[in-house]
Coordinates of all heavy atoms in Angstrom, one line a residue:
N1 N 193.7 53.8 105.3 CA 192.5 53.7 106.1 C 192.8 53.0 107.3 O 193.1 51.8 107.4 CB 191.4 53.0 105.3 CG 190.0 52.9 105.9 OD1 190.0 52.7 107.1 ND2 189.1 53.2 105.2
L2 N 192.4 53.7 108.5 CA 192.7 53.2 109.8 C 191.9 52.0 110.2 O 192.4 51.1 110.7 CB 192.5 54.3 110.8 CG 193.6 55.5 110.8 CD1 193.1 56.6 111.9 CD2 195.0 54.9 111.1
L3 N 190.6 52.0 109.8 CA 189.7 50.9 110.1 C 190.2 49.7 109.4 O 190.3 48.6 110.0 CB 188.3 51.2 109.7 CG 187.3 50.1 109.9 CD1 187.3 49.8 111.5 CD2 185.9 50.6 109.6
A4 N 190.6 49.8 108.1 CA 191.1 48.6 107.3 C 192.3 48.0 108.0 O 192.5 46.8 108.2 CB 191.3 49.0 105.9
G5 N 193.2 49.0 108.3 CA 194.5 48.5 109.0 C 194.3 47.9 110.2 O 194.9 47.0 110.6
N6 N 193.3 48.3 111.1 CA 193.0 47.8 112.4 C 192.5 46.4 112.2 O 192.8 45.4 112.8 CB 192.1 48.6 113.2 CG 192.1 48.2 114.6 OD1 193.1 47.9 115.2 ND2 191.0 48.4 115.1
N7 N 191.6 46.3 111.1 CA 191.0 45.1 110.8 C 192.0 44.0 110.4 O 192.0 42.8 110.8 CB 189.9 45.2 109.8 CG 188.6 45.8 110.3 OD1 188.4 45.9 111.5 ND2 187.8 46.4 109.4
L8 N 192.9 44.5 109.6 CA 194.1 43.5 109.2 C 194.8 43.1 110.4 O 195.2 41.9 110.5 CB 195.0 44.3 108.2 CG 196.0 43.5 107.5 CD1 195.5 42.2 106.7 CD2 196.6 44.2 106.5
A9 N 195.2 43.9 111.2 CA 196.0 43.6 112.5 C 195.2 42.6 113.3 O 195.8 41.6 113.8 CB 196.2 44.8 113.3
T10 N 193.8 42.8 113.3 CA 193.0 41.7 114.0 C 193.1 40.4 113.4 O 193.3 39.4 114.1 CB 191.5 42.3 114.2 OG1 191.5 43.6 114.8 CG2 190.7 41.4 114.9
A11 N 193.0 40.4 112.1 CA 193.1 39.1 111.3 C 194.5 38.5 111.7 O 194.5 37.2 111.9 CB 192.9 39.4 109.8
Y12 N 195.6 39.2 111.5 CA 196.9 38.6 111.9 C 196.9 38.0 113.3 O 197.4 37.0 113.6 CB 197.9 39.7 111.7 CG 198.3 40.0 110.3 CD1 198.5 41.3 109.9 CD2 198.5 39.0 109.3 CE1 198.8 41.7 108.6 CE2 198.9 39.3 108.0 CZ 199.1 40.7 107.7 OH 199.5 40.9 106.4
S13 N 196.3 38.8 114.2 CA 196.3 38.3 115.6 C 195.5 37.0 115.8 O 196.0 36.0 116.4 CB 195.6 39.3 116.5 OG 195.6 39.0 117.9
L14 N 194.5 36.9 115.0 CA 193.6 35.5 115.0 C 194.5 34.4 114.5 O 194.3 33.2 114.8 CB 192.3 35.7 114.2 CG 191.3 36.7 114.9 CD1 190.1 36.8 113.9 CD2 190.8 36.2 116.1
M15 N 195.5 34.8 113.6 CA 196.3 33.6 113.1 C 197.6 33.6 113.8 O 198.6 32.8 113.4 CB 196.7 34.0 111.7 CG 195.5 34.0 110.7 SD 196.0 34.4 109.0 CE 196.5 36.1 108.9
N16 N 197.7 34.2 115.0 CA 199.0 34.2 115.9 C 200.2 34.7 115.2 O 201.2 34.3 115.4 CB 199.1 32.8 116.5 CG 198.0 32.5 117.5 OD1 197.4 33.3 118.1 ND2 197.7 31.2 117.4
D17 N 200.0 35.7 114.2 CA 201.0 36.2 113.5 C 201.4 37.7 114.1 O 201.1 38.6 113.5 CB 200.7 36.3 111.9 CG 201.8 36.8 111.1 OD1 202.9 37.1 111.5 OD2 201.6 36.7 109.8
Y18 N 202.1 37.5 115.1 CA 202.3 38.8 116.0 C 203.3 39.7 115.4 O 203.2 40.9 115.5 CB 202.6 38.4 117.3 CG 201.4 37.6 118.0 CD1 201.5 36.3 118.3 CD2 200.2 38.3 118.2 CE1 200.5 35.7 118.8 CE2 199.1 37.6 118.7 CZ 199.3 36.2 119.1 OH 198.2 35.6 119.5
D19 N 204.3 39.2 114.6 CA 205.2 40.0 113.9 C 204.3 41.0 113.0 O 204.6 42.2 112.8 CB 206.2 39.3 113.1 CG 207.3 38.6 114.1 OD1 207.4 39.1 115.2 OD2 207.8 37.6 113.7
N20 N 203.4 40.4 112.3 CA 202.6 41.2 111.3 C 201.6 42.1 112.0 O 201.3 43.1 111.5 CB 201.9 40.4 110.2 CG 202.8 40.1 109.0 OD1 203.5 41.0 108.6 ND2 202.7 38.7 108.5
V21 N 201.1 41.6 113.1 CA 200.2 42.5 114.0 C 201.0 43.8 114.4 O 200.6 44.9 114.1 CB 199.8 41.8 115.3 CG1 199.1 42.8 116.2 CG2 198.9 40.6 115.0
I22 N 202.3 43.6 114.8 CA 203.1 44.7 115.2 C 203.5 45.7 114.1 O 203.3 46.9 114.2 CB 204.4 44.2 116.0 CG1 204.1 43.5 117.3 CG2 205.4 45.4 116.1 CD1 205.2 42.7 117.8
A23 N 203.8 45.0 112.9 CA 204.1 45.8 111.8 C 202.8 46.7 111.2 O 203.0 47.8 110.8 CB 204.5 44.9 110.6
Q24 N 201.7 46.0 111.4 CA 200.5 46.7 111.1 C 200.2 47.9 111.9 O 199.8 49.0 111.4 CB 199.3 45.8 110.9 CG 198.1 46.3 110.2 CD 198.2 46.7 108.8 OE1 198.9 46.0 108.1 NE2 197.7 47.9 108.4
Y25 N 200.3 47.8 113.2 CA 200.1 48.8 114.1 C 201.0 49.9 113.9 O 200.7 51.1 114.0 CB 200.1 48.3 115.6 CG 198.8 47.5 115.9 CD1 199.0 46.4 116.8 CD2 197.6 47.8 115.5 CE1 197.8 45.8 117.3 CE2 196.5 47.1 115.9 CZ 196.6 46.2 116.7 OH 195.6 45.5 117.1
E26 N 202.4 49.6 113.8 CA 203.4 50.6 113.5 C 203.0 51.4 112.3 O 203.2 52.6 112.2 CB 204.8 49.9 113.5 CG 205.2 49.4 114.6 CD 206.5 48.6 114.7 OE1 206.8 48.1 113.6 OE2 207.2 48.6 115.8
A27 N 202.6 50.6 111.2 CA 202.2 51.4 109.9 C 201.1 52.3 110.2 O 201.1 53.4 109.7 CB 201.8 50.4 108.8
L28 N 200.1 52.0 111.0 CA 199.0 52.8 111.3 C 199.5 54.0 112.0 O 198.9 55.1 111.7 CB 198.0 52.1 112.1 CG 197.2 51.0 111.4 CD1 196.2 50.2 112.4 CD2 196.2 51.7 110.4
L29 N 200.3 53.8 112.9 CA 200.8 55.0 113.8 C 201.7 55.9 112.9 O 201.8 57.2 113.2 CB 201.7 54.5 114.9 CG 200.8 53.8 116.1 CD1 201.6 53.3 117.1 CD2 199.7 54.9 116.7
K30 N 202.3 55.5 111.8 CA 203.0 56.3 110.9 C 202.0 57.2 110.2 O 202.4 58.4 110.0 CB 203.8 55.5 109.9 CG 205.1 55.0 110.5 CD 206.0 54.3 109.5 CE 207.2 53.7 110.2 NZ 208.0 52.9 109.3
I31 N 200.9 56.7 109.8 CA 199.9 57.4 109.2 C 199.2 58.5 110.1 O 199.0 59.7 109.7 CB 198.8 56.5 108.6 CG1 199.4 55.7 107.5 CG2 197.6 57.3 108.1 CD1 198.6 54.5 107.1
S32 N 198.9 58.0 111.3 CA 198.3 58.8 112.4 C 198.8 58.5 113.7 O 198.2 57.6 114.3 CB 196.7 58.6 112.2 OG 196.0 59.3 113.0
P33 N 199.8 59.3 114.1 CA 200.4 58.9 115.3 C 199.6 59.1 116.6 O 199.9 58.6 117.7 CB 201.7 59.8 115.3 CG 201.4 60.9 114.4 CD 200.3 60.4 113.4
D34 N 198.6 59.9 116.6 CA 197.8 60.3 117.8 C 196.7 59.4 118.0 O 195.5 59.8 118.2 CB 197.4 61.8 117.8 CG 198.6 62.5 118.1 OD1 199.7 62.0 118.7 OD2 198.7 63.8 117.7
Q35 N 196.8 58.0 117.8 CA 195.7 57.0 118.0 C 195.9 56.3 119.3 O 196.6 55.3 119.3 CB 195.6 56.1 116.7 CG 195.4 56.8 115.4 CD 193.9 57.4 115.5 OE1 193.0 56.9 115.9 NE2 193.8 58.7 114.9
P36 N 195.2 56.7 120.3 CA 195.5 56.0 121.7 C 195.1 54.5 121.5 O 195.9 53.7 122.2 CB 194.7 56.8 122.7 CG 193.6 57.5 121.9 CD 194.3 57.8 120.5
D37 N 194.1 54.2 120.9 CA 193.7 52.7 120.9 C 194.8 51.8 120.1 O 195.1 50.8 120.5 CB 192.4 52.5 120.1 CG 191.3 53.1 120.8 OD1 191.5 53.4 122.1 OD2 190.1 53.3 120.3
V38 N 195.4 52.5 119.1 CA 196.3 51.6 118.4 C 197.7 51.6 119.3 O 198.2 50.6 119.3 CB 196.8 52.4 117.0 CG1 197.9 51.8 116.4 CG2 195.6 52.3 116.1
H39 N 198.0 52.7 120.0 CA 199.3 52.8 120.9 C 198.9 51.6 122.0 O 199.9 50.8 122.3 CB 199.4 54.0 121.5 CG 200.1 54.8 120.7 ND1 201.5 54.8 120.4 CD2 199.8 56.1 120.1 CE1 202.0 55.9 119.7 NE2 200.8 56.7 119.4
F40 N 197.7 51.6 122.4 CA 197.4 50.6 123.5 C 197.5 49.2 123.0 O 198.2 48.3 123.6 CB 196.0 50.8 124.1 CG 195.7 49.9 125.3 CD1 196.2 50.2 126.5 CD2 194.9 48.8 125.1 CE1 196.0 49.4 127.6 CE2 194.8 47.9 126.1 CZ 195.2 48.2 127.4
L41 N 196.9 48.8 121.9 CA 197.0 47.5 121.3 C 198.4 47.1 121.0 O 198.7 45.9 121.1 CB 196.1 47.4 120.0 CG 194.5 47.6 120.4 CD1 193.6 47.7 119.1 CD2 194.1 46.4 121.3
L42 N 199.0 48.0 120.3 CA 200.5 47.7 120.1 C 201.2 47.4 121.3 O 202.1 46.5 121.4 CB 201.2 48.8 119.2 CG 202.6 48.8 119.0 CD1 202.9 47.3 118.2 CD2 203.1 50.0 118.1
G43 N 201.1 48.3 122.3 CA 201.7 48.0 123.6 C 201.5 46.6 124.1 O 202.3 45.8 124.7
K44 N 200.2 46.3 124.1 CA 199.8 44.9 124.7 C 200.3 43.9 123.9 O 200.8 42.8 124.5 CB 198.2 44.9 124.6 CG 197.4 45.6 125.6 CD 197.3 45.0 127.0 CE 196.3 43.9 126.9 NZ 196.2 43.2 128.3
T45 N 200.4 43.9 122.6 CA 201.0 42.9 121.8 C 202.5 42.8 122.0 O 203.0 41.7 122.3 CB 200.7 43.2 120.3 OG1 199.3 43.3 120.0 CG2 201.3 42.2 119.3
L46 N 203.3 43.9 122.1 CA 204.6 43.9 122.3 C 204.9 43.2 123.8 O 205.8 42.4 123.9 CB 205.2 45.3 122.4 CG 205.3 45.9 121.0 CD1 205.6 47.4 121.1 CD2 206.5 45.3 120.2
L47 N 204.1 43.6 124.8 CA 204.3 43.1 126.1 C 204.0 41.6 126.3 O 204.7 40.9 126.7 CB 203.5 44.0 127.1 CG 203.5 43.6 128.5 CD1 205.0 43.7 129.0 CD2 202.7 44.4 129.4
E48 N 202.7 41.2 125.8 CA 202.2 39.9 126.1 C 202.6 38.9 125.2 O 202.7 37.7 125.5 CB 200.7 40.0 126.2 CG 200.1 40.8 127.3 CD 198.7 40.9 127.3 OE1 198.0 40.4 126.4 OE2 198.2 41.6 128.2
K49 N 203.0 39.3 123.8 CA 203.3 38.3 122.9 C 204.7 38.2 122.5 O 205.2 37.2 121.9 CB 202.4 38.5 121.5 CG 201.0 38.5 121.7 CD 200.4 37.3 122.3 CE 198.9 37.3 122.6 NZ 198.4 36.1 123.3
K50 N 205.4 39.3 122.9 CA 206.9 39.4 122.5 C 207.8 39.7 123.8 O 209.0 39.6 123.6 CB 207.0 40.4 121.4 CG 206.5 40.1 120.0 CD 207.1 38.9 119.4 CE 206.6 38.6 118.1 NZ 207.5 37.5 117.5
G51 N 207.2 40.1 124.8 CA 208.1 40.4 126.0 C 209.0 41.5 126.0 O 209.8 41.7 126.5
R52 N 208.4 42.5 125.0 CA 209.2 43.8 124.8 C 208.7 44.8 125.7 O 208.1 45.7 125.2 CB 209.3 44.0 123.3 CG 210.0 43.0 122.5 CD 209.7 42.9 121.1 NE 209.8 44.2 120.3 CZ 209.5 44.1 119.0 NH1 209.2 43.0 118.2 NH2 209.5 45.3 118.4
S53 N 208.9 44.7 126.9 CA 208.3 45.6 127.9 C 208.7 47.0 127.8 O 207.8 47.9 127.9 CB 208.5 45.1 129.3 OG 210.0 45.1 129.6
E54 N 209.8 47.4 127.4 CA 210.4 48.8 127.5 C 209.6 49.4 126.2 O 209.2 50.6 126.4 CB 211.9 48.9 127.3 CG 212.7 48.5 128.5 CD 212.2 49.4 129.7 OE1 212.1 50.7 129.5 OE2 212.0 48.8 130.8
E55 N 209.5 48.7 125.1 CA 208.8 49.3 123.9 C 207.3 49.5 124.2 O 206.7 50.4 124.0 CB 209.0 48.5 122.7 CG 210.2 48.5 122.0 CD 210.4 47.6 120.8 OE1 209.8 47.9 119.8 OE2 211.1 46.5 121.0
A56 N 206.8 48.4 125.0 CA 205.4 48.5 125.3 C 205.1 49.7 126.2 O 204.1 50.3 126.0 CB 205.0 47.1 125.9
A57 N 206.0 49.9 127.1 CA 205.8 51.0 128.1 C 205.8 52.4 127.4 O 205.0 53.2 127.7 CB 206.9 51.0 129.2
G58 N 206.6 52.5 126.4 CA 206.5 53.7 125.6 C 205.2 54.0 124.9 O 204.8 55.1 124.9
H59 N 204.5 53.0 124.5 CA 203.3 53.1 123.9 C 202.1 53.3 124.9 O 201.3 54.1 124.7 CB 202.9 51.9 123.0 CG 203.7 51.8 121.8 ND1 203.5 52.6 120.7 CD2 204.8 51.2 121.4 CE1 204.4 52.4 119.7 NE2 205.2 51.5 120.2
F60 N 202.3 52.8 126.1 CA 201.4 53.1 127.2 C 201.4 54.5 127.6 O 200.5 55.1 128.0 CB 201.5 52.0 128.3 CG 201.1 50.7 128.0 CD1 202.0 49.5 128.3 CD2 200.0 50.4 127.2 CE1 201.7 48.3 128.0 CE2 199.7 49.0 126.8 CZ 200.6 48.1 127.3
R61 N 202.7 55.0 127.6 CA 203.0 56.4 127.9 C 202.3 57.3 126.9 O 201.9 58.4 127.2 CB 204.5 56.7 128.2 CG 204.9 56.1 129.5 CD 206.4 56.8 129.9 NE 207.3 56.0 129.0 CZ 207.9 54.9 129.3 NH1 207.7 54.2 130.4 NH2 208.8 54.5 128.5
D62 N 202.3 56.9 125.7 CA 201.7 57.6 124.5 C 200.2 57.7 124.7 O 199.6 58.8 124.5 CB 202.1 57.0 123.2 CG 203.4 57.4 122.7 OD1 204.0 58.4 123.1 OD2 204.0 56.6 122.0
V63 N 199.7 56.6 125.2 CA 198.2 56.6 125.5 C 197.9 57.7 126.6 O 196.9 58.4 126.3 CB 197.7 55.2 125.9 CG1 196.2 55.3 126.5 CG2 197.9 54.2 125.0
L64 N 198.8 57.6 127.6 CA 198.5 58.6 128.7 C 198.8 60.0 128.3 O 198.2 60.9 128.8 CB 199.4 58.2 130.0 CG 198.9 57.0 130.6 CD1 199.9 56.5 131.7 CD2 197.5 57.0 131.2
R65 N 199.7 60.2 127.4 CA 199.9 61.7 126.8 C 198.6 62.1 126.1 O 198.2 63.2 126.2 CB 201.0 61.6 125.9 CG 201.3 62.9 125.0 CD 202.5 62.7 124.1 NE 202.5 61.6 123.1 CZ 201.8 61.7 122.0 NH1 201.1 62.9 121.7 NH2 201.8 60.7 121.2
L66 N 197.9 61.2 125.4 CA 196.7 61.5 124.7 C 195.5 61.4 125.5 O 194.6 62.3 125.3 CB 196.5 60.5 123.5 CG 197.7 60.7 122.5 CD1 197.7 59.3 121.5 CD2 197.6 61.9 121.7
I67 N 195.5 60.6 126.4 CA 194.3 60.5 127.3 C 194.8 60.3 128.9 O 195.0 59.1 129.3 CB 193.4 59.2 127.1 CG1 193.0 59.4 125.6 CG2 192.1 59.3 128.0 CD1 192.2 58.2 125.1
P68 N 195.1 61.3 129.5 CA 195.8 61.2 130.8 C 195.3 60.5 131.9 O 195.8 59.8 132.8 CB 195.9 62.7 131.4 CG 195.8 63.5 130.0 CD 194.9 62.7 129.0
D69 N 193.8 60.2 131.8 CA 193.2 59.5 132.9 C 192.9 58.0 132.4 O 192.1 57.3 133.1 CB 191.9 60.1 133.3 CG 190.9 60.4 132.2 OD1 191.3 60.1 131.1 OD2 189.8 60.6 132.6
N70 N 193.6 57.5 131.4 CA 193.3 56.2 130.9 C 193.8 55.2 132.0 O 195.0 54.8 132.1 CB 194.0 55.9 129.5 CG 193.6 54.7 128.9 OD1 194.1 53.6 129.4 ND2 192.9 54.7 127.9
G71 N 192.7 54.6 132.5 CA 193.2 53.6 133.7 C 193.8 52.3 133.1 O 194.7 51.7 133.8
Q72 N 193.4 51.9 131.9 CA 194.1 50.6 131.3 C 195.6 50.8 131.1 O 196.4 49.9 131.4 CB 193.5 50.2 130.1 CG 192.1 49.6 130.3 CD 191.3 49.3 129.0 OE1 191.3 50.0 128.0 NE2 190.8 48.1 128.9
A73 N 195.9 52.0 130.5 CA 197.5 52.2 130.3 C 198.2 52.3 131.6 O 199.3 51.8 131.7 CB 197.6 53.5 129.4
K74 N 197.5 53.0 132.6 CA 198.2 53.1 133.9 C 198.4 51.7 134.5 O 199.5 51.5 135.0 CB 197.3 54.0 134.8 CG 197.4 55.4 134.4 CD 196.4 56.1 135.4 CE 196.4 57.7 135.0 NZ 195.4 58.5 136.0
E75 N 197.5 50.8 134.3 CA 197.5 49.5 134.9 C 198.6 48.7 134.2 O 199.4 48.0 134.8 CB 196.2 48.8 134.6 CG 196.0 47.4 135.2 CD 194.5 46.9 135.0 OE1 193.6 47.5 135.5 OE2 194.5 46.0 134.3
Q76 N 198.8 48.8 132.9 CA 199.9 48.2 132.2 C 201.2 48.6 132.5 O 202.1 47.9 132.7 CB 199.5 48.3 130.7 CG 198.4 47.6 130.2 CD 198.5 46.1 130.4 OE1 199.5 45.5 130.2 NE2 197.3 45.5 130.9
L77 N 201.3 50.0 132.8 CA 202.6 50.6 133.2 C 202.9 50.1 134.7 O 204.1 49.8 134.8 CB 202.6 52.1 133.1 CG 202.7 52.7 131.7 CD1 202.4 54.1 131.8 CD2 204.1 52.4 131.2
E78 N 202.0 50.0 135.5 CA 202.2 49.3 136.8 C 202.7 47.9 136.8 O 203.6 47.6 137.4 CB 201.0 49.5 137.6 CG 200.7 51.0 138.1 CD 199.4 51.1 138.8 OE1 198.7 50.1 139.3 OE2 198.9 52.3 138.9
K79 N 202.0 47.2 135.9 CA 202.4 45.8 135.6 C 203.8 45.6 135.2 O 204.6 44.9 135.7 CB 201.5 45.2 134.6 CG 201.8 43.7 134.3 CD 200.8 43.1 133.3 CE 201.2 41.7 132.9 NZ 200.3 41.2 131.9
I80 N 204.2 46.5 134.3 CA 205.6 46.4 133.8 C 206.6 46.9 134.9 O 207.6 46.2 135.2 CB 205.8 47.4 132.5 CG1 205.0 46.9 131.3 CG2 207.3 47.6 132.3 CD1 204.8 47.9 130.2
S81 N 206.2 47.8 135.7 CA 207.1 48.3 136.8 C 207.2 47.3 137.8 O 208.4 46.9 138.4 CB 206.5 49.6 137.4 OG 207.3 50.0 138.4
N82 N 206.1 46.6 138.1 CA 206.1 45.5 139.1 C 207.0 44.3 138.7 O 207.8 43.7 139.4 CB 204.7 45.1 139.5 CG 204.0 46.1 140.4 OD1 204.5 46.9 140.9 ND2 202.7 45.9 140.3
D83 N 206.8 43.9 137.4 CA 207.5 42.9 136.7 C 209.0 43.2 136.8 O 209.9 42.2 137.1 CB 207.1 42.5 135.3 CG 205.7 41.9 135.4 OD1 205.2 41.4 136.4 OD2 205.1 41.7 134.3
S84 N 209.4 44.3 136.5 CA 210.9 44.7 136.4 C 211.4 44.6 137.9 O 212.6 44.3 138.0 CB 211.1 46.0 135.8 OG 210.6 47.1 136.6
R85 N 210.6 44.9 138.9 CA 211.2 44.9 140.2 C 211.4 43.5 140.7 O 212.3 43.3 141.3 CB 210.1 45.6 141.2 CG 210.4 47.1 141.2 CD 209.6 47.8 142.3 NE 208.8 48.8 141.7 CZ 207.6 49.0 141.8 NH1 206.8 48.3 142.6 NH2 206.8 50.0 141.3
K86 N 210.5 42.6 140.2 CA 210.6 41.1 140.5 C 211.9 40.6 139.9 O 212.5 39.5 140.5 CB 209.4 40.4 140.0 CG 208.1 40.7 140.8 CD 206.9 39.8 140.2 CE 205.7 40.3 140.9 NZ 204.5 39.6 140.1
D87 N 212.3 41.1 138.7 CA 213.3 40.7 138.0 C 214.7 40.9 138.6 O 215.8 40.4 138.4 CB 213.4 41.0 136.5 CG 212.2 40.3 135.8 OD1 211.7 39.3 136.2 OD2 211.9 40.8 134.7
K88 N 214.7 41.9 139.5 CA 215.9 42.5 140.1 C 216.3 41.6 141.4 O 215.7 41.0 142.0 CB 215.8 44.0 140.4 CG 215.8 44.8 139.0 CD 215.7 46.2 139.4 CE 215.6 47.0 138.1 NZ 215.7 48.3 138.1

């Protein structure tokens, strides 16, 4: 159940257990891969809590594939792009 899985991910997040948050979102996407909200939340967690920007960017691109005008996903991709330019 997607709602139960999302609630579980939220509970893990409240406990700062980000490895389990990521695992829960990945499990949800295996069940139903076209969930833009789950892709977005997974991307945010990967980026902000684990520093895994390339993986996060893939999930933000998935959001845009599903909802091309999603401003939040575009904003996150711009942030990743800007951060990678600063690192060079």
